[in-house]
Amino acid sequence: MPVALVAAPGLVSLVIIAVLLPTSPPEEEPAAYGTSPDVCRFGTVLVAGILSATGAFAGYTYIVKFLGDVSGFPPRTVSALFVAFGVACLAGVSITGALLDRFPQAALTAAVATQAVGMLGLYAAGTDPVAAVVFLRPQRLHACRSCVGRGIPVGGPWCQGRL
C-alpha cells in the first residue's frame, strides 16, 4: 500500500506531462541546430555532466549505509531523513527550474559546487549526526539530492539549452 501512495501522484504527473508535451517535430524548433558549436564547450559540458552524475549516483549507492554505519542513525531515522530529502528535492527542482533559464551557467556551477561541498562535508564530518544532516540539506535544497547529488536535475535541462 505505501508504494501505491507514491505511485498514484507519479502516474498523475506522467499523464499531465504527456498531455502538455509539444507536438511539433524537434527539428522545427529554434534550438534544433547550433549556430556556432564549440568543441571545447561541448567537451566541458560532457565532462561536468559525467562527473556530477557519477558523484550523485555514487552517493545514492552508499548513503543509506553511510547514514547508518558512519553517522549512527537507526534505520527508522534514515527513512524519515529520506522523506524530508524527497520533499526538499521537489522544492529544489522547482527553484532551480525557475533559475535555469535566467542564469544557466550560474545554475550549473552552483549545482556542481553544492554537490561537491556536500560530499566533502559528509567525508570530513559525517561521523557527527548533526553534521551529516546539515551536509545532506544543501543538496536537497539545490535540486533534488542532499549535498550528494544536486547536479542531476540541473544538468539535463542545462545541457539541452547549451548544446
Side-chain angles (χ1 to χ4, degrees), residues 17-157:
I17 290 169
V19 168
L20 295 176
L21 280 173
T23 56
S24 62
E27 57 274 358
E28 292 179 7
E29 296 299 318
Y33 304 99
T35 54
S36 59
D38 184 321
V39 174
C40 183
R41 287 181 70 159
F42 179 73
T44 302
V45 168
L46 289 179
V47 169
I50 289 168
L51 290 175
S52 179
T54 301
F57 286 120
Y60 285 146
T61 301
Y62 299 106
I63 195 69
V64 171
K65 186 122 177 95
F66 183 90
L67 290 173
D69 293 354
V70 177
S71 300
F73 287 106
R76 291 189 93 140
T77 305
V78 172
S79 296
L81 287 172
F82 280 157
V83 169
F85 179 80
V87 170
C89 285
L90 180 60
V93 169
S94 300
I95 292 166
T96 302
L99 297 175
L100 196 55
D101 285 338
R102 292 180 186 94
F103 312 103
Q105 191 70 38
L108 180 66
T109 302
V112 173
T114 302
Q115 179 181 356
V117 166
M119 294 181 100
L120 290 170
L122 286 172
Y123 171 77
T127 56
D128 177 17
V130 173
V133 170
V134 167
F135 284 110
L136 284 176
R137 175 176 253 150
Q139 281 184 296
R140 286 185 280 162
L141 297 176
H142 197 317
C144 185
R145 13 251 107 301
S146 219
C147 278
V148 175
R150 192 64 37 242
I152 291 175
V154 177

Side-chain angles (χ1 to χ4, degrees), residues 8-21:
L11 182 60
V12 170
S13 297
L14 173 69
V15 170
I16 291 170
I17 290 169
V19 168
L20 295 176
L21 280 173

